[in-house]
Amino acid sequence: MTKKFLIYMVVVIAVAVGVYAYVGGFSAVAVTQTQTSQLFIAGKYFEGRTDAKELGELYQQVGQIVEKKQLAGDLAGIYYNNPSKETKTIKAFVGVAVTDTAVALPAGFAVRVVPAGVPVLQGELEASLMVATKKIYTALFDYAEEHQLTLEEFYVERYPNGKPAVIQARLKK
């Protein structure tokens, strides 16, 4: 190997580490046991494979609705299962966290309510959506195992603009 190649590799690695740090890759997840607050989510239900074209299109549609301010709120979703590596199927309600149910909804959208007062394990992380989701779920599952808690197949995700990402996993009673 030449000296130039080694310098090039060091620069590439340094840039990659810098980008990972910038998007929150080295941030720690804050995990707490808490209760839900009432939350309204305007969106659409999807059931199918995690790699389905329709799921990607739904995420894009919701992103555009938020970007164009057709609905005021944060990206959010309710997930009714944890897709396994074998099945890769998901049951999800993907949408926007809105302040009340009286908002004008885009075509095909409905509102679902997450009730207040339900015990959950909550993870928060100041990071980009791409990094936050995986890191928070890993932290929640690790915490539950370490503290011998059982989680239900019910997860609420919220990605407020300019604030930490929040994922809640419902605790079994």
Side-chain angles (χ1 to χ4, degrees), residues 30-35 118-123 140 143-144 147 149 171:
V31 177
T32 55
Q33 289 185 49
T34 187
Q35 292 185 349
V118 177
V120 292
L121 200 55
Q122 177 173 293
L140 291 175
Y143 184 96
H147 292 86
L149 300 170
L171 290 166

Side-chain angles (χ1 to χ4, degrees), residues 11-24:
V11 169
V12 168
I13 291 170
V15 168
V17 169
V19 168
Y20 187 69
Y22 178 75
V23 298

Side-chain angles (χ1 to χ4, degrees), residues 27-167:
S27 300
V29 177
V31 177
T32 55
Q33 289 185 49
T34 187
Q35 292 185 349
T36 57
S37 298
Q38 187 174 45
L39 179 66
F40 303 110
I41 300 178
K44 288 184 178 180
Y45 182 77
F46 174 84
E47 186 172 340
R49 292 188 48 85
T50 56
D51 59 357
K53 178 182 172 188
E54 295 81 11
L55 181 59
E57 290 171 350
L58 176 56
Y59 283 125
Q60 288 177 359
Q61 180 185 15
V62 170
Q64 289 172 355
I65 285 170
V66 170
E67 188 177 302
K68 293 177 181 177
K69 300 192 186 316
Q70 290 174 309
L71 283 175
D74 309 319
L75 295 174
I78 303 170
Y79 296 85
Y80 300 97
N81 72 325
N82 181 12
S84 69
K85 291 181 181 179
E86 295 81 36
T87 63
K88 292 187 179 182
T89 58
I90 192 166
K91 297 175 185 174
F93 187 78
V94 179
V96 180
V98 294
T99 55
D100 63 53
T101 59
V103 296
L105 299 175
F109 274 52
V111 174
R112 295 211 177 161
V113 180
V114 176
V118 177
V120 292
L121 200 55
Q122 177 173 293
E124 291 186 44
L125 181 63
E126 187 78 46
S128 77
L129 186 130
M130 295 180 300
V131 172
T133 305
K134 182 174 169 74
K135 284 191 75 163
I136 294 173
Y137 274 112
T138 299
L140 291 175
F141 294 143
D142 289 349
Y143 184 96
E145 184 178 326
E146 184 178 317
H147 292 86
Q148 298 176 343
L149 300 170
T150 305
L151 302 176
E152 288 185 22
E153 293 277 307
F154 188 89
Y155 312 94
V156 177
E157 297 181 4
R158 190 164 180 188
Y159 301 96
N161 196 12
K163 296 180 183 173
V166 177
I167 298 177

